[in-house]
């Protein structure tokens, strides 16, 4: 295999996530272990070529890559993109007049002669612990294999001890049930040890919340479960934030005040109580409540999957549909309820504390988790895992180069005199700030997904496209934090009525769809953090999708079939507006906040030169949007429909 072929395979959608090249309803392909990885790649390519032959029926346009228009777009890319990097690099030089303000936030780097911008607290905690995380990621599957050799659940049928009285299907089901029991036993044990290492003596707080949530699902009357689940878990979000993780010191003070009275309490306040001693053993991450937000999504998933399963009892749905449980499509793994006995406390605990996905996700539903625990997905192969790991390492190296040469995060944290910067410099600082956020989250999610893949679990890929390859607000949110988007769609958006179904047609249906979006993004904002700026971010996102909805209503695609080029230009203009609005909303929510955005926008458009720059920037973005359009058309020609 040549280097070019290897790079093509490395950056193929098949390597990233097989879900991108197969419909969620499509059964996974049988993987022949005798066929080489090159043969499988050729087979996949051949299939795509056959699908590409149907491009006209799919509505794909002829390629434009070699047209004069795209020669112009290519020239713009060759000039502007390097200039963007150079501008951000120039404002990070020691010779810049504002350098002394953000220099204290920099650290010595491993690239000779360069400091490193490790001032992002979230990424710094990941970057500084990468060696230890890699050790845990390697040890975890090895310990599972060792555990499997020591502990083997009773009742596993083997080829050496065939049972003539049982059918092959019954034997396979028994083997799958035993595999689930074996894996869950390890996951519970390792998960509790992992929890103790992370949060120390705060682990009982986490386990108590998990127990209460499980009791809501299994002890409440069925009709009360959804409401009680949402009230409890949203209440926990607020309580964790307001209570700051419920320090034992505060608990001890309350108990002492109640038992001993005010006078004795006043005498003890100057002394270190037993609560302070317990708080000193907070593990590697004492602020457990910050990371618990991801666990809350799993708790809601378990309760609602259990609630919906109660209405589908009366035999196995898999058997009724005559499906192969070892070869289910992704849609079936998610939608078909787990067996009634699967909703046990050990399975629930293993799911909620599953170590590879505990800290950051990606998010896997309970139904999907139990299905994959029974049968390893055929999408997991050593070759694909290796390629995915190489992609992670290359992305990590890209981040290292960026934070060694572009200090956008430190500059924003230092809050320098913005008037010193030109409009183009300010815009590049905002742009690379957003890119840093995108890349750090990509690295976090891909690391933990790689860990899960090595352990035999295939969660959804969270980041579909580069941040700079998005022109639609709807498509951006479908492809950004994708597992969270799918979770929201399943557990919030569809139960609310979504954008279709009874009562959602016509004008009032569109209004209801918009209201549902506002509810969704309000929850998303609260889930990220209970802060005003994130609530504003959620509402801004809801507001900024309105122009796209209105444009789709005023310019329906089917009415422009005879004027496709004009329609492409109109869509390009709309795409530029979408990009600007998405950048503003995300800068407010995750970077500079409202006050910082005011200074940034004023510096860019507060002068005649700034307005001229904005006009040129929009023209450049228009070029970028046209290239994005053509990339989507290229995917369509290959039979790939990603909807983002």
């Amino acid at each position: 295999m040549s280097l070019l072929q290897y790079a093509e395979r490395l950056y193929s959608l098949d390597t990233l996530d097989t879900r991108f090249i197969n419909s969620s309803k499509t059964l996974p392909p049988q993987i022949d272990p005798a066929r080489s990885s090159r043969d499988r790649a050729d087979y996949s390519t051949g299939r795509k070529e056959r699908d590409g032959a149907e491009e006209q029926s799919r509505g794909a346009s002829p390629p434009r890559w070699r047209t004069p228009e795209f020669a112009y777009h290519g020239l713009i890319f060759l000039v502007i993109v390097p200039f963007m990097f150079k501008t951000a690099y120039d404002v990070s030089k020691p010779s810049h007049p504002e350098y002394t303000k953000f220099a204290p936030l920099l650290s010595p780097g491993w690239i000779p002669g360069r400091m490193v911008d490790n001032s992002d607290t979230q990424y710094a905690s990941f970057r500084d612990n990468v060696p230890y995380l890699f050790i845990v990621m390697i040890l975890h599957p090895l310990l599972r294999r060792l555990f499997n050799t020591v502990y083997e659940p009773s009742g596993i049928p083997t080829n050496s001890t065939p049972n003539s009285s049982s059918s092959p299907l019954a034997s396979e089901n028994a083997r799958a049930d035993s595999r689930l029991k074996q894996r869950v036993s390890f996951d519970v044990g390792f998960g509790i040890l992992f929890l103790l290492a992370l949060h120390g003596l705060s682990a009982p707080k986490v386990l108590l919340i998990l127990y209460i949530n499980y009791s809501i699902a299994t002890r409440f009357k069925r009709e009360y479960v959804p409401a009680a689940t949402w009230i409890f878990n949203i209440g926990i979000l607020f309580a964790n934030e307001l209570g700051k993780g419920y320090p034992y010191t505060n608990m001890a003070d309350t108990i002492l005040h109640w038992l001993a009275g005010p006078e004795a309490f006043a005498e003890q306040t100057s002394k270190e109580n037993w609560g302070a001693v317990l708080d000193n053993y907070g593990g590697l991450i004492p602020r457990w409540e910050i990371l618990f937000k991801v666990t809350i999504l799993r708790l809601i998933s378990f309760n609602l999957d259990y609630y919906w399963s109660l209405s589908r009892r009366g035999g196995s749905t898999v058997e009724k549909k005559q499906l192969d449980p070892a070869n289910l499509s992704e849609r079936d793994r998610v939608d078909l309820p787990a067996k009634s006995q699967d909703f046990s406390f050990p399975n629930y605990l293993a799911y909620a504390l599953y170590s590879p996905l505990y800290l950051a996700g990606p998010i896997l539903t309970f139904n999907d988790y139990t299905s994959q625990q029974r049968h390893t997905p055929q999408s997991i192969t050593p070759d694909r895992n290796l390629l995915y790991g190489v992609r992670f390492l290359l992305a990590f190296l890209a981040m290292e180069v960026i934070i060694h040469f572009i200090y956008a995060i430190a500059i924003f944290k230092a809050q320098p005199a913005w008037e010193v910067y030109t409009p183009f410099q300010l815009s590049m600082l905002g742009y690379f700030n957003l890119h840093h956020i995108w890349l750090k989250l990509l690295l976090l999610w891909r690391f933990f997904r790689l860990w899960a893949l090595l352990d035999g679990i295939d969660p959804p890929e969270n980041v579909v496209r580069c941040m700079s390859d998005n022109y639609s607000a709807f498509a951006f949110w479908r492809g950004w934090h994708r597992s969270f988007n799918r979770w929201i769609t399943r557990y919030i958006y569809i139960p609310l009525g979504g954008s279709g179904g009874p009562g959602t047609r016509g004008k009032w249906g569109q209004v209801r769809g918009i209201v549902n979006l506002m509810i969704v993004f309000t929850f998303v904002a609260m889930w990220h953090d209970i802060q005003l700026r994130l609530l504003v971010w959620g509402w801004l996102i809801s507001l900024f999708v309105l122009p796209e909805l209105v444009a789709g209503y005023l310019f329906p695609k089917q009415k422009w079939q005879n004027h496709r080029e004009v329609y492409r230009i109109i869509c390009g203009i709309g795409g530029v507006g979408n990009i600007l609005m998405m950048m503003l909303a995300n800068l407010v929510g995750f970077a500079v906040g409202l006050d910082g955005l005011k200074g940034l926008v004023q510096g860019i458009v507060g002068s005649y030169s700034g307005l001229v720059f904005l006009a040129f920037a929009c023209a450049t973005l228009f070029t970028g949007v046209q290239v994005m359009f053509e990339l989507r058309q290229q995917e369509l020609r290959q039979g790939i429909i990603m909807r983002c």
Side-chain angles (χ1 to χ4, degrees):
M1 182 184 295
S2 68
L3 183 60
L4 183 61
Q5 288 174 324
Y6 182 80
E8 184 179 358
R9 180 94 194 281
L10 181 65
Y11 285 97
S12 68
L13 290 173
D14 179 68
T15 295
L16 191 60
D17 193 338
T18 57
R19 295 172 179 87
F20 298 145
I21 62 171
N22 295 313
S23 167
S24 60
K25 300 179 182 179
T26 304
L27 296 179
Q30 297 289 338
I31 296 177
D32 182 1
R35 179 182 286 176
S36 69
S37 59
R38 174 69 182 278
D39 290 339
R40 292 198 297 268
D42 292 342
Y43 171 78
S44 177
T45 302
R47 185 189 62 191
K48 290 180 181 180
E49 289 173 353
R50 290 192 296 273
D51 291 340
E54 302 175 2
E55 65 183 58
Q56 295 303 323
S57 63
R58 296 178 182 270
S61 63
R64 295 188 177 90
W65 297 116
R66 298 185 180 183
T67 62
E69 176 193 351
F70 273 78
Y72 163 77
H73 294 326
L75 180 62
I76 296 296
F77 263 77
L78 288 174
V79 174
I80 297 298
V81 173
F83 191 50
M84 292 166 63
F85 280 88
K86 181 181 182 303
T87 300
Y89 170 71
D90 287 342
V91 298
S92 303
K93 287 181 177 180
S95 58
H96 193 274
E98 295 295 300
Y99 181 82
T100 54
K101 292 186 177 180
F102 60 83
L105 297 175
L106 305 180
S107 310
W110 57 267
I111 295 180
R114 298 299 305 175
M115 303 291 282
V116 63
D117 183 359
N118 201 30
S119 58
D120 185 310
T121 307
Q122 183 184 30
Y123 183 67
S125 64
F126 171 74
R127 181 178 182 268
D128 296 344
N129 291 291
V130 161
Y132 309 108
L133 287 171
F134 264 105
I135 293 173
V136 175
M137 182 177 69
I138 295 170
L139 284 178
H140 178 260
L142 295 178
L143 289 174
R144 183 187 293 280
R145 290 187 180 184
L146 178 62
F147 176 83
N148 291 346
T149 61
V150 175
Y151 170 72
E152 185 173 320
S154 60
I156 299 182
T158 62
N159 295 330
S160 59
T161 58
N163 187 350
S164 58
S165 64
S166 64
S167 66
L169 179 60
S171 297
E172 180 60 33
N173 287 338
R175 188 177 292 105
D177 289 342
S178 296
R179 183 179 188 273
L180 171 67
K181 183 179 179 180
Q182 187 181 52
R183 287 183 62 88
V184 162
S185 299
F186 176 82
D187 286 341
V188 169
F190 191 92
I192 291 176
L193 292 176
F194 191 61
L195 190 70
L196 287 169
L198 289 176
H199 307 315
L201 295 182
S202 288
K205 304 172 190 176
V206 175
L207 295 174
L208 177 61
I209 294 173
L210 264 58
Y211 177 75
I212 294 173
N213 182 77
Y214 181 78
S215 299
I216 290 173
T218 57
R219 298 187 180 183
F220 278 41
K221 290 185 177 181
R222 180 179 181 274
E223 58 269 25
Y224 300 145
V225 169
T229 294
W230 283 108
I231 291 171
F232 173 73
N233 283 282
I234 291 178
I236 287 294
L237 275 177
F238 279 89
N240 286 353
E241 180 72 20
L242 298 176
K244 300 186 183 303
Y246 326 112
Y248 286 114
T249 302
N250 294 351
M251 295 183 191
D253 288 345
T254 302
I255 294 172
L256 181 63
H257 187 275
W258 181 59
L259 293 177
E263 295 181 359
F265 173 73
E267 294 177 3
Q268 292 290 331
T269 51
S270 59
K271 302 178 182 179
E272 185 178 56
N273 60 34
W274 57 267
V277 176
L278 296 180
D279 286 333
N280 289 332
Y281 299 93
L284 299 173
I285 306 176
R287 295 289 307 278
W288 64 271
E289 72 276 9
I290 297 176
L291 299 172
F292 192 72
K293 297 167 186 175
V294 179
T295 304
I296 280 180
L297 302 181
R298 290 191 283 269
L299 304 191
I300 295 172
S301 173
F302 174 87
N303 283 20
L304 295 185
D305 280 0
Y306 176 69
Y307 166 76
W308 288 326
S309 75
L310 295 176
S311 63
R312 303 176 73 173
R313 293 289 167 87
S316 170
T317 308
V318 173
E319 293 179 3
K320 286 181 179 179
K321 292 188 174 184
Q322 295 183 335
L323 299 173
D324 179 3
N327 196 37
L328 295 176
S329 69
E330 189 205 10
R331 175 70 61 85
D332 287 336
R333 292 203 312 261
V334 172
D335 288 349
L336 297 182
K339 297 180 181 180
S340 57
Q341 64 266 28
D342 289 345
F343 292 95
S344 64
F345 188 71
N347 290 2
Y348 164 74
L349 202 61
Y351 168 65
L353 299 179
Y354 182 57
S355 302
L357 306 182
Y358 175 76
L359 291 172
I363 301 152
L364 201 65
T365 68
F366 179 78
N367 288 342
D368 198 359
Y369 171 79
T370 54
S371 177
Q372 294 195 45
Q373 290 284 58
R374 276 195 165 86
H375 306 279
T376 302
Q378 296 185 27
S379 57
I380 299 179
T381 65
D383 187 39
R384 186 176 285 115
N385 287 350
L386 176 61
L387 290 170
Y388 191 83
V390 171
R391 283 189 69 157
F392 167 79
L393 292 175
L394 290 175
F396 184 76
L397 179 61
M399 176 63 115
E400 286 296 299
V401 172
I402 289 173
I403 62 177
H404 274 81
F405 288 90
I406 296 176
Y407 305 144
I409 305 299
I411 292 173
F412 269 107
K413 284 195 170 187
Q415 289 293 302
W418 296 119
E419 60 272 12
V420 174
Y421 299 88
T422 67
F424 186 52
Q425 289 173 338
L426 288 173
S427 66
M428 288 302 98
L429 286 173
Y431 174 79
F432 279 99
N433 196 305
L434 290 176
H435 251 289
H436 179 93
I437 295 170
W438 168 77
L439 191 50
K440 76 171 180 181
L441 292 175
L442 176 146
L443 289 170
L444 286 167
W445 290 329
R446 285 195 180 169
F447 175 86
F448 292 114
R449 181 169 183 258
L450 175 61
W451 182 359
L453 289 171
L454 294 176
D455 190 47
I457 296 291
D458 185 5
E461 172 65 28
N462 260 345
V463 181
V464 180
R465 298 189 188 276
C466 174
M467 185 203 80
S468 297
D469 187 15
N470 288 278
Y471 60 85
S472 163
F474 282 113
F476 175 77
W477 292 114
R478 278 196 293 264
W480 169 254
H481 205 168
R482 184 167 169 267
S483 66
F484 188 28
N485 177 270
R486 289 152 64 96
W487 185 95
I488 288 170
T489 301
R490 175 172 171 81
Y491 298 108
I492 301 180
Y493 192 59
I494 291 178
L496 287 174
S499 58
T504 60
R505 304 297 184 186
K507 183 188 300 182
W508 293 112
Q510 292 177 345
V511 172
R512 180 177 173 181
I514 293 171
V515 171
N516 290 344
L517 279 176
M518 294 189 68
I519 294 173
V520 163
F521 280 109
T522 299
F523 172 79
V524 171
M526 289 192 304
W527 179 81
H528 277 91
D529 209 346
I530 302 173
Q531 295 182 12
L532 177 61
R533 66 185 179 91
L534 281 169
L535 285 175
V536 171
W537 166 80
W539 294 329
L540 280 176
I541 292 296
S542 302
L543 177 65
F544 287 167
V545 299
L546 290 181
E548 191 170 343
L549 283 173
V550 173
Y553 180 77
L554 295 176
F555 302 97
K557 184 176 181 179
Q558 60 270 20
K559 292 186 178 181
W560 292 82
Q561 293 300 315
N562 297 327
H563 305 281
R564 293 190 177 186
E565 293 302 309
V566 176
Y567 184 72
R568 181 165 63 91
I569 293 173
I570 293 173
C571 291
I573 295 171
V576 171
N578 273 341
I579 291 172
L580 293 175
M581 288 187 291
M582 286 190 290
M583 290 183 70
L584 290 175
N586 285 300
L587 281 170
V588 169
F590 299 102
V592 298
L594 276 173
D595 294 335
L597 183 66
K598 289 178 182 178
L600 190 63
V601 171
Q602 182 63 30
I604 293 175
V605 300
S607 63
Y608 175 76
S609 61
L611 293 174
V612 172
F613 158 75
L614 182 62
F616 277 101
C618 289
T620 304
L621 287 175
F622 182 82
T623 284
V625 170
Q626 294 304 317
V627 174
M628 295 179 211
F629 287 167
E630 188 60 19
L631 288 172
R632 304 308 190 272
Q633 290 296 309
Q634 183 68 28
E635 291 171 354
L636 202 57
R637 295 179 200 115
Q638 297 174 346
I640 299 170
I641 304 175
M642 297 186 60
R643 299 182 66 248
C644 64

